[in-house]
């Protein structure tokens, strides 16, 4: 079944593509089963105030351990879920599980999660005009003031006029909104002003090289200044060293997330590290 060239040899590229397609097909079948059988997990990464080091919230990050493949990266299975029409089911599970976890922490931990739990939303979920109601329904029992929704800058810009409308509905309902991976999505200043967002998350790619590359440092500085002018807070992603944390604090960045402060952890380990006395 391999594609043959005219000389009858198998084309290696076609063969590699065939295997990649086959893997994706099998992966989407297994992912679909994992979603319906409740086999996904949520990990939680702390978000901290850069000036005080205090916990300001957490981000929920989806994890999938497959019996055959082991841990599959969200960088692989989230785009696959989007492509194969599984992202709504996955997104619904993430919202329900987030609410369940917030409730469990309230009952079991010495202190509740301060601030908000950030939940990633993909473009296809965002395209649902009933999204705000849908989220409220799936997270019943949890106040919108305990939740922040994250959408990437490029997803915002897919249909910016619709995004302006939905973001206002969400803000009116009491949810906070963050623009994720900011700096990579080419949004225009005029839209940035109209999106009712509370926070800009500075993309990890700028933070990574910030200390050695003055262009990246300038970009980070510019994002922080822009956010201030638009009355949004800034959250730096991927902070791995104390030097990065110090420079970001000096530049006036409000909050940070990254391995330096804490890796994403399963709910019980997150609670032990961050929600005990
Ligand atoms: P994101 O929302 O920008 O999440 C931040 C990513 O950076 C996470 O990758 C996190 O583990 C990683 N990270 C945090 N601190 C550091 C650090 O110090 N260094 C480095 N190198 N990386 C760090 P992860 O968990 O692999 O997720 C990748 C992307 O997958 C997320 O990017 C998000 O776009 C998507 N994703 C994850 N969970 C969900 C979900 O439940 N729903 C949707 N729609 N997307 C999700
Ligand atoms: Mg995110
Ligand atoms: Mg991000
Ligand atoms: Mg990202």
């Amino acid at each position: 079944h391999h594609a043959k060239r005219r000389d009858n040899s198998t084309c290696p590229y076609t063969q590699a593509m065939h295997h990649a397609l086959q893997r994706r097909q099998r992966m989407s079948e297994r992912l679909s089963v994992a979603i319906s059988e409740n086999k996904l997990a949520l990990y939680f990464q702390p978000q901290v105030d850069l000036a005080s080091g205090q916990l300001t919230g957490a981000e929920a990050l989806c994890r999938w351990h497959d019996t055959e493949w082991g841990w599959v990266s969200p960088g692989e299975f989230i785009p696959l879920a989007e492509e194969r029409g599984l992202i709504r089911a996955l997104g619904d599970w993430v919202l329900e599980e987030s609410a369940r976890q917030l409730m469990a922490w309230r009952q079991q931990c010495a202190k509740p999660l301060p601030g908000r739990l950030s939940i990633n939303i993909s473009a296809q979920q965002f395209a649902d005009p009933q999204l705000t109601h849908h989220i409220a329904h799936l997270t019943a029992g949890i106040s919108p003031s305990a939740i922040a929704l994250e959408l990437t800058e490029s997803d915002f810009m897919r249909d910016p006029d619709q995004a302006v409308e939905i973001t206002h509905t969400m803000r009116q309902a009491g949810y906070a909104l963050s623009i994720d991976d900011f700096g990579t999505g080419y949004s225009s200043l005029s839209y940035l002003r109209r999106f009712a967002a509370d926070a800009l998350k500075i993309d990890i790619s700028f933070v990574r090289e910030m200390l050695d590359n003055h262009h990246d440092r300038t970009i980070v500085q510019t994002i922080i200044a822009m956010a201030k002018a638009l009355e949004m807070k800034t959250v730096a992603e991927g902070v791995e060293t104390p030097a990065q944390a110090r420079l970001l604090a000096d530049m006036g960045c409000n909050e940070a997330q990254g391995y330096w402060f804490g890796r994403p952890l399963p709910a019980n380990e997150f609670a032990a590290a961050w929600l005990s006395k």
Side-chain angles (χ1 to χ4, degrees), residues 45-49 52-58 112-115 270 274-275:
Q45 185 174 38
Q47 299 175 323
V48 302
D49 181 80
S52 68
Q54 295 279 329
L55 187 69
T56 57
L113 181 74
F270 179 85
W274 296 93
L275 305 178

Side-chain angles (χ1 to χ4, degrees), residues 45 59 62-63 74 94 120 180-181 204 237-238 240 258-259 264:
Q45 185 174 38
E59 179 173 7
C62 192
R63 295 289 179 262
V94 167
N120 292 286
D180 208 347
D181 301 349
I204 185 170
E237 299 187 306
E240 296 185 351
Y259 299 161

